[in-house]
């Protein structure tokens, strides 16, 4: 890694020992050897991911991303004559990022145009999500929901054939028009209501039959990407909680879907999230009446993959920035990266990111394994990855931020944006407790998932006695499923074992050794960098843009 010479001086002093900002075109593919390994292991579309990695990391893309956040979305409820329009205005940078994501296949690459998934399509998609999350996580939200809406629509072949071509298009078409008139379309979801988000059975929005369609009346408390072309929505029909497709625009004009206000969010600022009201809103049923959860779970299952891989992307962005900084900044006569204690911190940060990426890409490969065992395993693997990766991301990103000293707190670096973004993927699509309870349910009800998980954990037995001991201790402590109150502890333990199993099988020995020693064998304090005896050089080499 080379740091250019200072470019200007001031009248009173020379500016020195301040690493210049990382500008220029930074390929997110070339700079990341661990990503390249995972892509090769999965048989994903390396050529497409490489092209996307070059584009997402370009100077131009980072400029658009910054603009999209600097000028956040604004709600325009009425036109100048006082007619309701309920439109959200986005900065041109937002549209450029949507265009970039869609044109490189973020929403489409997993799916075959005529139905079903492409070989290794989910791994390709996961790699794209991982890379775009590093640059502009807000725009990932509508792109993720579009990717995930496709399999849920398969519940109704008629609706699917009407929408699928537009959802799989590589075009970003923000026009406000019925789907038949658009080059491309995006899809959102509206489940959460004021009185209950995790507990969607508490939904009170009502659905009444109206010819071959339905009319919805009620409200939704969180609905992201309100300019989506349609929303998968839950509402109570006569037969119980049911899934519906609600287009924003009908052939005859605007659907009766009102945006009440935009949420003022901690992060994810380029993306709009809003409260909406349905007032006799036209909707089409997706799946049977009463089967709402079963239908929308197809979408939730796929959005969960992105909520598992995105934190690995956020960690990668934070790690790259910290690595750049500590290799260009000196304190006490030595570059920071040459200070023994900073090497320990950077190595521990690297283990966090490396294990998060291994867990999430392992889950993505399970999504691509379209047999009964693969499908069962994907459900448990993605939940474990979503839980652990999102619990670790805020802590990891904070420590990476601190490696920049005071500069890490300054908005001109990407660190504040990454820090604000870090909690979000842990909340939506199942907050921490809900995911842990879901894991218990899956293991209780799906023997195939239990079998596949145990097989993955057993596959690396007899390589590291500390791993074997930790695995034995887990099953000794929980020979059966734990009580609900221990679900976090159980999940935490299982997710770390799963991450270790991937690293033992896939990563260099020093990385697996470092993870097992510090996460499973207790050779670590409570904070990042409280480690010793690891092969720091070998672990730091994983970053790719490694300090010299
Ligand atoms: C930026 C953002 C965008 C969003 N976008 C969308 C969107 O597009 N569409 C949409 O439908 N929703 C969206 N959401 C909403 C999100 O999915 C919900 O906030 C989430 O599901 C939690 O629901 P809740 O807020 O009602 O919290 P609650 O369900 O009230 O949960 C509160 C806490 O209780 C815990 N908890 C719940 N049940 C149990 C239990 N049985 N045992 C122990 N603990 C429990 C949860 O883990 C959580 O920590 C968005 C949220 C955010 C922050």
């Amino acid at each position: 890694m080379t740091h250019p010479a200072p470019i200007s001086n001031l009248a009173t002093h020379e500016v020195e020992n301040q690493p210049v900002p990382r500008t220029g075109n930074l390929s997110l593919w070339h700079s990341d050897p661990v990503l390249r390994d995972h892509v090769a292991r999965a048989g994903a579309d390396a050529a497409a991911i490489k092209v996307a990695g070059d584009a997402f990391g370009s100077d131009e893309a980072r400029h658009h991303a910054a603009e999209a956040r600097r000028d956040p979305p604004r709600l325009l409820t009425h036109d100048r004559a006082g007619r309701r329009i309920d439109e959200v205005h986005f900065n041109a940078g937002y549209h450029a990022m949507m265009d970039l994501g869609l044109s490189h296949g973020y929403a489409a690459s997993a799916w075959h145009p005529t139905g079903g998934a492409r070989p290794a399509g989910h791994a390709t998609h996961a790699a794209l999500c991982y890379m775009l999350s590093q640059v502009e996580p807000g725009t990932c939200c509508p792109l993720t929901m579009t990717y995930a809406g496709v399999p849920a629509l398969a519940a109704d072949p008629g609706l699917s054939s009407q929408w699928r071509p537009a959802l799989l298009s590589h075009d970003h078409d923000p026009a406000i028009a019925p789907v038949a008139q658009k080059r491309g379309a995006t899809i959102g979801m509206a489940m959460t209501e004021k009185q209950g988000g995790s507990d969607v059975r508490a939904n009170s929005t009502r659905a009444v039959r109206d010819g071959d369609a339905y009319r919805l009346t009620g409200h939704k408390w969180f609905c992201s990407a309100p300019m989506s072309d349609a929303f998968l929505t839950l509402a109570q029909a006569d037969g119980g909680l049911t899934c519906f497709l609600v287009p924003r625009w009908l052939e005859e004009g605007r659907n009766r879907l009102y945006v009440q206000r935009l949420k003022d969010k901690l992060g994810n600022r380029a993306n709009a999230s809003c409260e909406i009201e349905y007032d006799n809103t036209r909707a089409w049923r997706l799946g049977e009446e009463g089967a709402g959860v079963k239908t929308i779970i197809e979408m939730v299952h796929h959005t969960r993959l992105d909520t598992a891989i995105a934190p690995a992307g956020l960690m990668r962005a934070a790690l790259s920035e910290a690595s750049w900084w500590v290799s260009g900044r000196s304190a006490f006569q030595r570059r920071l990266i040459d200070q023994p204690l900073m090497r320990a911190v950077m190595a521990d940060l690297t283990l966090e990111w490396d294990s998060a990426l291994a867990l999430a890409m392992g889950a993505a490969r399970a999504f691509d394994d379209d047999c009964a065992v693969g499908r069962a395993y994907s459900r448990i693997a993605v939940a474990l990855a979503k839980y652990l990766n999102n619990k670790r991301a805020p802590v990891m990103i904070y420590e990476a931020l601190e490696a920049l000293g005071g500069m890490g707190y300054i908005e001109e670096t990407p660190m504040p944006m990454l820090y604000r973004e870090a909690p979000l993927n842990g909340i939506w699509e199942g907050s921490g407790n809900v995911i842990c309870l879901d894991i218990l349910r899956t293991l209780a009800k799906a023997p195939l998932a239990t079998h596949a998980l145990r097989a993955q954990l057993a596959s690396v037995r007899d390589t590291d006695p500390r791993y074997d001991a930790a695995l034995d201790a887990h099953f000794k402590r929980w020979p059966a499923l734990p009580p609900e109150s221990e679900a976090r502890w159980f999940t935490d333990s299982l997710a770390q074992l799963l991450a270790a199993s991937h690293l033992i099988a896939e990563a260099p020995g020093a990385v697996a050794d470092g993870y097992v020693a510090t996460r499973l064998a207790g050779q670590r304090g409570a904070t990042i960098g409280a480690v010793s005896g690891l092969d720091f050089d070998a672990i730091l080499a994983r970053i790719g843009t490694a300090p010299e």
Side-chain angles (χ1 to χ4, degrees):
M1 178 185 294
T2 49
H3 282 263
I7 41 181
S8 76
N9 292 321
L10 302 175
T12 58
H13 61 283
E14 248 179 50
V15 177
E16 53 187 33
N17 197 26
Q18 282 279 342
V20 294
R22 287 200 313 153
T23 51
N25 296 324
L26 311 168
S27 169
L28 302 181
W29 170 258
H30 284 294
S31 60
D32 192 342
V34 179
L35 172 66
R36 295 200 299 275
D37 282 355
H38 283 297
V39 166
R41 186 171 299 105
D45 188 346
I49 298 166
K50 179 204 166 302
V51 173
D54 292 348
F56 295 174
S58 69
D59 213 21
E60 190 185 2
R62 279 179 289 113
H63 169 73
H64 289 314
E67 280 298 288
R69 291 188 290 266
R70 183 194 57 75
D71 175 22
R74 276 178 287 126
L75 173 61
L76 310 173
T77 51
H78 297 79
D79 70 7
R80 68 177 189 176
R83 298 181 196 94
R84 280 207 76 143
I85 53 170
D86 295 273
E87 286 170 19
V88 178
H89 174 269
F90 292 95
N91 180 279
Y94 173 89
H95 290 295
M97 294 309 291
M98 289 290 289
D99 192 30
L100 200 59
L102 289 167
S103 64
H104 287 91
Y106 186 120
S109 57
W111 308 115
H112 206 278
T114 54
R118 290 181 190 275
H122 296 291
T124 300
H125 164 79
L128 296 174
C129 175
Y130 166 76
M131 294 190 301
L132 198 60
S133 299
Q134 296 174 39
V135 182
E136 212 313 278
T139 34
C140 289
C141 172
L143 300 173
T144 285
M145 292 195 289
T146 302
Y147 150 74
V150 171
L153 276 176
D156 186 308
L159 285 175
S160 185
S161 63
Q162 194 186 341
W163 282 83
R164 192 176 175 106
L167 298 177
L168 298 195
S169 159
H170 283 224
D171 287 338
H172 172 50
D173 181 353
I176 298 170
V179 66
Q181 296 170 22
K182 293 192 59 162
R183 287 178 289 114
T186 58
I187 207 159
M189 64 157 71
M191 296 193 292
T192 307
E193 295 186 4
K194 296 185 182 80
Q195 71 280 5
S198 310
D199 184 5
V200 290
R201 290 186 191 277
N203 272 197
S204 65
T205 296
R206 296 182 313 283
V208 177
R209 258 191 192 281
D210 178 22
D212 61 349
Y214 285 74
R215 295 275 175 187
L216 305 190
T217 302
H219 68 282
K220 294 290 166 181
W221 183 227
F222 274 94
C223 177
S224 291
M227 295 305 279
S228 300
D229 294 283
F231 304 90
L232 292 199
T233 276
L234 291 179
Q236 303 285 359
D238 286 346
L241 193 64
T242 305
C243 186
F244 294 92
L245 180 83
V246 182
R248 207 159 48 84
W249 197 260
L250 306 169
E251 291 300 329
E252 61 269 28
R254 165 177 308 286
N255 203 356
R256 296 173 61 85
L257 187 162
Y258 301 99
V259 179
Q260 302 295 72
R261 60 172 171 163
L262 299 189
K263 299 281 197 190
D264 187 5
K265 297 176 290 184
L266 168 67
N268 209 250
R269 303 301 285 262
N271 178 36
S273 301
C274 72
E275 297 162 21
I276 59 177
E277 190 162 326
Y278 295 133
D279 179 11
N280 262 317
T281 310
R282 210 155 155 74
W284 277 263
R285 198 184 72 219
L286 197 55
E288 295 303 313
E289 276 196 12
V293 172
K294 185 170 163 248
T295 306
I296 211 164
I297 206 77
E298 262 306 299
M299 181 171 189
V300 171
H301 178 55
H302 289 85
T303 44
R304 275 191 186 170
L305 177 59
D306 288 17
T307 61
I309 188 88
L314 300 177
M315 289 191 215
R316 169 70 195 178
L319 182 67
S320 305
E321 197 67 26
S323 174
W324 172 256
W325 185 268
V326 298
S327 64
R329 173 98 170 159
S330 298
F332 303 100
Q333 291 83 50
R334 267 209 263 193
R335 285 192 318 163
L336 287 171
I337 191 55
D338 297 326
Q339 301 281 4
L341 186 51
M342 185 58 93
R343 287 187 89 68
V345 170
M346 290 299 295
D348 209 14
L349 289 173
T350 305
L351 288 177
E352 289 288 357
W353 152 74
D354 214 335
S355 56
L357 185 54
L359 255 186
M361 285 306 288
R365 291 199 300 279
F367 274 67
D368 283 323
D369 185 0
D370 193 26
C371 65
V373 178
R375 281 196 297 277
Y377 180 58
S378 69
R379 184 151 173 218
I380 193 78
V382 79
L384 289 167
K386 177 183 190 315
Y387 181 76
L388 188 63
N389 289 356
N390 284 299
K391 290 298 164 205
R392 300 307 304 160
V395 179
M396 184 281 182
I397 291 166
Y398 166 69
E399 283 292 351
L401 177 161
E402 193 184 285
L404 274 67
M407 193 60 144
Y409 206 67
I410 301 303
E411 294 283 351
E412 285 159 298
T413 77
M415 296 315 213
M417 179 278 282
L418 295 169
Y419 189 61
R420 281 194 294 269
E421 204 65 40
L424 177 54
N425 289 298
I427 296 173
W428 76 301
E429 300 312 60
S431 308
N433 288 355
V434 171
I435 288 290
C436 294
L437 297 175
D438 191 51
I439 285 170
L440 298 196
R441 257 192 310 277
T442 303
L443 292 176
K445 285 190 185 162
L448 275 182
T450 307
H451 168 76
L453 178 62
R454 284 187 175 242
Q456 167 64 29
L457 295 172
S459 67
V460 294
R461 261 199 189 277
D462 301 327
T463 17
D464 185 327
R466 297 164 304 176
Y467 172 82
D468 296 353
L471 194 56
D472 291 340
H474 177 91
F475 286 114
K476 186 165 175 228
R477 168 152 189 91
W478 294 290
L481 294 177
E484 272 192 23
S485 60
E486 281 180 35
R488 274 197 181 222
W489 192 359
F490 174 83
T491 300
D492 184 281
S493 162
L494 211 47
Q496 291 195 84
L497 285 163
L498 186 60
S501 77
H502 281 296
L503 293 178
I504 291 171
E506 300 158 14
V511 173
D513 173 72
Y515 190 85
V516 171
T518 52
R519 274 65 173 176
L520 301 185
Q523 292 168 34
R524 184 176 189 244
T527 53
I528 286 190
V531 297
S532 76
L534 311 184
D535 184 345
F536 294 153
D537 290 347
I539 295 170
L540 289 171
R542 299 285 278 173
I543 302 174
T545 48
E548 295 138 31

